[in-house]
Amino acid sequence: MTVSIILAAKGREVTTIEPGATMKSAMALLAEKRIGAVLALGADHRIVGILSERDIVRAIAERGPAALDEPVSRSMTRNVSTCTESETIASVMERMTEGKFRHLPVVDQGRLVGIISIGDVVKDRLQEMERDSTAMHDYILNA
């Protein structure tokens, strides 16, 4: 199973924000879309960072409520791990676990084509396990 299967099921829409936008506007966007992270794109539409709920909590803990008036670029994670559609779900799950992050942008030749979350990966694995269980059950009944 590959990342392309997850994107085919969930879609390719990605919520983005400008790095100069305020943290307050990023929080509003996360709440409105009911998501846990937003990608910051530069002028060339390439990924320059990712801002997660954790980044926001960390900024407020360090700098207080004033952090909400600061630009996203001050608190976003700049070293963003990405994957391609051809990567396996198992390898992506391993990278997310090792890196302790929950969102992974999907790129094709440097162009953003989607994003997957740990929730998407777990959902896919559970569906795969259900399919395997059903197939095994059917095999045993028909043997």
Side-chain angles (χ1 to χ4, degrees), residues 65-136:
L68 299 178
D69 295 319
E70 296 172 355
V72 166
S73 60
R74 176 148 186 212
S75 299
M76 69 185 184
T77 300
R78 293 178 185 276
N79 186 16
V80 181
S81 292
T82 63
C83 67
T84 64
E85 290 186 69
S86 62
E87 286 188 54
T88 66
I89 304 302
S91 70
V92 163
M93 198 167 18
E94 186 177 319
R95 287 177 49 207
M96 288 175 139
T97 301
E98 286 175 5
K100 296 182 179 160
F101 52 84
R102 298 175 298 177
H103 299 87
L104 197 57
V106 184
V107 296
D108 181 18
Q109 297 178 359
R111 199 179 102 251
L112 180 63
V113 296
I115 189 167
I116 60 172
S117 70
I118 193 66
D120 299 325
V121 171
V122 169
K123 180 180 175 183
D124 181 78
R125 285 290 294 139
L126 289 173
Q127 289 172 341
E128 183 180 358
M129 289 169 59
E130 182 64 30
R131 286 189 301 269
D132 291 349
S133 175
T134 300
M136 183 65 79

Side-chain angles (χ1 to χ4, degrees), residues 1-40:
M1 300 293 245
T2 63
V3 170
S4 63
I5 291 168
I6 292 177
L7 289 182
K10 76 172 272 189
R12 296 173 178 274
E13 181 182 341
V14 181
T15 302
T16 63
I17 197 164
E18 293 182 12
T22 65
M23 294 276 282
K24 193 180 297 182
S25 64
M27 281 179 45
L29 185 60
L30 291 175
E32 173 192 332
K33 300 284 187 173
R34 299 176 53 95
I35 56 176
V38 62
L39 288 174

Side-chain angles (χ1 to χ4, degrees), residues 47-74:
I47 301 167
V48 295
I50 188 168
L51 183 76
S52 70
E53 295 162 323
R54 281 185 196 165
D55 295 321
I56 294 169
V57 168
R58 192 175 297 116
I60 293 170
E62 290 172 359
R63 300 186 297 281
L68 299 178
D69 295 319
E70 296 172 355
V72 166
S73 60
R74 176 148 186 212

